[in-house]
Amino acid sequence: RGLAEQTQDDKLWSPSKRAQLRAFLDDKLQELNLAGIEAFDASREDLVNVAQPERVGSTLPATPPDILDQLLAGQTIARTQRVGRGDLVRGGVPVQNRNGKVIGAIVVADVVPRQISRRAHDISRSFQEYRQLQSMKQPIKNGYTLTLFLIMLVVVFSATWFGFYLAKGITV
């Protein structure tokens, strides 16, 4: 999102500034230590594609057309795709002019090692299980409360009956 705003503010989307756009994105690629950055115009043309193939372990896979469809429709995206040494995480945002019309899109990609990806998945699964257990907390609590209330009634009834029984025996 920040890259899209900066390129729009610096007016780097005009055809005469392609070299400046490439230099800017190349600097940001190194600065942010990403696997790749791609810039597309509204006609789906790949304007700039800068990458660090050594981060991926091979060449960076092309951005799928369905991602471009969503971006050029004005939606942001985040997708994960398996690659050699881990998971390739892509995030994309549309670039809009002052009138709100989509003039292009920026897609950033980075590789998350498989071990970290697995841990994130495990944490996510554990969180979902916790949410399920949390939703079951109130019914279980109500069950225990009802059980203890019934036991208390039996004890009070038994004590009262035993008291009356003793009182009757003493009186007789």
Side-chain angles (χ1 to χ4, degrees), residues 86-146:
D87 290 340
L88 180 68
V89 179
R90 288 183 200 260
V93 294
V95 178
Q96 300 175 341
N97 62 12
R98 302 284 180 224
N99 301 331
K101 182 182 175 194
V102 175
I103 59 171
I106 297 274
V107 178
V108 297
D110 201 11
V111 176
V112 177
R114 188 137 305 134
Q115 180 181 9
I116 292 174
S117 177
R118 218 174 286 128
R119 282 187 185 163
H121 177 71
D122 290 344
I123 290 169
S124 175
R125 191 184 71 242
S126 297
F127 180 70
Q128 291 300 324
E129 290 172 0
Y130 169 76
R131 297 287 291 203
Q132 287 176 342
L133 290 175
Q134 189 178 22
S135 68
M136 294 170 46
K137 175 182 172 183
Q138 195 60 40
I140 291 171
K141 189 176 177 182
N142 290 343
Y144 281 127
T145 303
L146 181 63

Side-chain angles (χ1 to χ4, degrees), residues 21-74:
L21 179 63
R22 175 176 284 286
F24 173 76
L25 292 179
D26 199 31
D27 288 344
K28 288 298 180 179
L29 179 75
Q30 301 303 321
E31 179 184 326
L32 300 172
N33 197 23
L34 297 169
I37 302 175
E38 296 173 283
F40 299 93
D41 67 4
S43 63
R44 298 172 178 263
E45 181 184 341
D46 191 359
L47 300 178
V48 177
N49 187 342
V50 291
Q52 295 184 39
E54 63 276 1
R55 295 278 317 261
V56 181
S58 63
T59 59
L60 191 65
T63 301
D66 64 323
I67 290 178
L68 286 176
D69 291 340
Q70 288 180 328
L71 289 172
L72 296 176

